[in-house]
Amino acid sequence: MKLTSIASGSSGNCIYVGSDEANILVDAGISGKKIENGLKELSVEPKSLDGILVTHEHIDHVAGLGVMARRYHLPLYMTEKTAQAVCNIKSVGKIDHELFQVITPDRPFRIRDITIDATSIWHDAADPVCYTMESGGVRASIATDMGNYHEGIVEKLKGSDILFIEANHDINMLQVGPYPYYLKRRILSNRGHLSNERSGQLLCDIMTENTREVFLGHLSKDNNYSELAYETVKISLLENGMVPEEFHMQVAKRDMVSGLAVV
Ligand SMILES: [Zn+2]
Ligand SMILES: [Zn+2]
């Protein structure tokens, strides 16, 4: 399997996942043009896309969804409540109802040779999920936008070959930073975003000797920076006995294509 992000962070998220037979996107939170440019860089024809998985309806995950769906007639996979919420966002525009493929957490479905399983996560959205995808014995998991994690998530993500996990903020930077009090509380809550520290703990709970590639993504522009996220998570992994030589870790880039993980 192949995986990388085309954009990652509060200004827009879009992840590309490829298998032998399928090309899919997880979220489309940047403009259609930017998605097309990213795919071009990856030598993936937008016409060859098989669909878009949507995690939740926040604009940084759906800004380009309408454009991509209309332009390439792409099936859009999401839970029913997320679909309703997406339909209520004016800027996404009209999407043909037949393109919506309603999914249910914990009920795996297939797109060509990829088996996909959604898991409910804690976030301030209608019905947010994370995704685990498996093809040819390789498993890739994507989990961003969650205030905290539960045992169900650990169970699903554990032992994935490729992991894309949120490392949103440094708690200190957030606390002393310029955000208004209500927003700080929202981000720090169980339905907000994962801190670097918590992201490191999650990785300690789910990484096994199978894990080859780790992405840290959805970094806050104001309350985090790449080196800090990377070092904080790395310390946590080292403290828990992970051997850095056994996996490759990178911070997903905010507005360009990151390194392609191939397992
Ligand atoms: Zn987000
Ligand atoms: Zn969100």
Side-chain angles (χ1 to χ4, degrees):
M1 281 184 109
K2 292 177 286 187
L3 185 148
T4 192
S5 69
I6 293 174
S8 184
S10 28
S11 30
N13 297 275
C14 181
I15 294 173
Y16 163 75
V17 182
S19 64
D20 288 346
E21 293 174 19
N23 290 306
I24 58 181
L25 295 179
V26 178
D27 291 330
I30 48 175
S31 71
K33 190 80 223 147
K34 281 185 180 162
I35 295 174
E36 287 167 352
N37 288 343
L39 289 170
K40 198 172 179 190
E41 234 178 274
L42 293 163
S43 307
V44 176
E45 275 291 333
K47 283 196 197 86
S48 73
L49 287 173
D50 297 290
I52 304 178
L53 310 181
V54 178
T55 59
H56 64 298
E57 73 278 14
H58 287 163
I59 199 70
D60 57 318
H61 299 261
V62 300
L65 195 66
V67 171
M68 291 301 286
R70 288 187 290 274
R71 198 169 286 166
Y72 301 105
H73 209 71
L74 291 172
L76 310 174
Y77 299 81
M78 64 192 92
T79 64
E80 185 151 21
K81 282 184 191 154
T82 299
Q84 284 164 2
V86 165
C87 290
N88 287 332
I89 303 174
K90 281 213 168 64
S91 62
V92 171
K94 262 222 150 349
I95 299 174
D96 198 339
H97 271 281
E98 69 180 32
L99 292 177
F100 285 97
Q101 304 288 318
V102 171
I103 61 153
T104 308
D106 308 316
R107 276 204 213 146
F109 58 97
R110 275 178 82 84
I111 300 178
R112 295 187 185 271
D113 63 345
I114 307 182
T115 303
I116 300 154
D117 195 6
T119 306
S120 291
I121 56 171
W122 292 332
H123 190 52
D124 56 353
D127 189 13
V129 297
C130 65
Y131 287 105
T132 290
M133 292 153 279
E134 201 258 57
S135 184
V138 175
R139 205 144 55 92
S141 298
I142 296 168
T144 65
D145 296 72
M146 48 190 197
N148 209 338
Y149 60 91
H150 51 80
E151 194 47 44
I153 293 175
V154 173
E155 244 168 67
K156 290 276 187 76
L157 271 55
K158 194 163 190 146
S160 296
D161 302 75
I162 306 173
L163 285 165
F164 192 107
I165 302 295
E166 170 173 59
N168 180 259
H169 57 275
D170 175 75
I171 294 174
N172 253 339
M173 279 182 78
L174 177 68
Q175 275 166 345
V176 303
Y179 283 15
Y181 179 68
Y182 79 89
L183 193 54
K184 289 182 183 180
R185 269 197 52 175
R186 195 217 122 198
I187 295 169
L188 289 167
S189 81
N190 269 347
R191 286 164 61 82
H193 290 276
L194 276 195
S195 66
N196 294 339
E197 290 81 357
R198 198 70 182 128
S199 179
Q201 286 162 359
L202 171 60
L203 283 169
C204 290
D205 286 340
I206 59 177
M207 281 177 71
T208 69
E209 65 280 0
N210 287 342
T211 310
R212 292 282 161 270
E213 292 280 351
V214 176
F215 289 85
L216 304 177
H218 209 300
L219 268 67
S220 161
K221 201 174 185 172
D222 302 304
N223 304 307
N224 209 355
Y225 54 96
S226 297
E227 294 79 6
L228 183 60
Y230 185 91
E231 288 305 323
T232 307
V233 170
K234 194 175 144 196
I235 287 168
S236 177
L237 296 179
L238 289 173
E239 280 174 356
N240 281 274
M242 309 280 173
V243 184
E245 290 76 37
E246 289 178 355
F247 60 89
H248 171 244
M249 184 164 82
Q250 62 182 303
V251 177
K253 297 199 170 82
R254 178 170 301 282
D255 42 28
M256 49 179 165
V257 178
S258 295
L260 184 68
V262 185
V263 176

